Amino acid sequence: MGKLGLVDVPIGDYGTEQAAMARYRAEGEERATALGNRGPICYTADGSLDPGILDSYARHGFYIFTGVVSPAELDDIE
């Protein structure tokens, strides 16, 4: 598994550009990880979604919740 929880599978055969594509994907993963728009679901004391999550969503247009599906559930899905 990669840093983002992605399964490491070959995406395609890019021939002589294979190394360039591998770098492109690795750089994209680094940029995505650096966004800071992922984490567990957190709530405030009154049950509202954590303002930090809402701010990140407003800034990036999406938020990745981690830990929502347990490893056992993922095994069951597979």
Side-chain angles (χ1 to χ4, degrees):
M1 292 257 180
K3 290 179 270 179
L4 300 178
L6 302 174
V7 178
D8 189 20
V9 296
I11 301 302
D13 180 3
Y14 296 98
T16 60
E17 299 302 318
Q18 189 69 34
M21 285 303 297
R23 277 191 311 278
Y24 176 78
R25 288 178 54 210
E27 290 167 2
E29 186 174 325
E30 287 178 29
R31 285 192 310 273
T33 300
L35 287 176
N37 66 336
R38 65 184 36 81
I41 299 173
C42 298
Y43 300 96
T44 62
D46 70 358
S48 299
L49 194 59
D50 182 272
I53 294 172
L54 295 173
D55 290 343
S56 182
Y57 178 81
R59 203 170 36 256
H60 302 292
F62 66 101
Y63 191 89
I64 299 169
F65 292 106
T66 60
V68 175
V69 181
S70 72
E73 289 173 305
L74 288 173
D75 288 343
D76 189 43
I77 291 168
E78 287 180 15

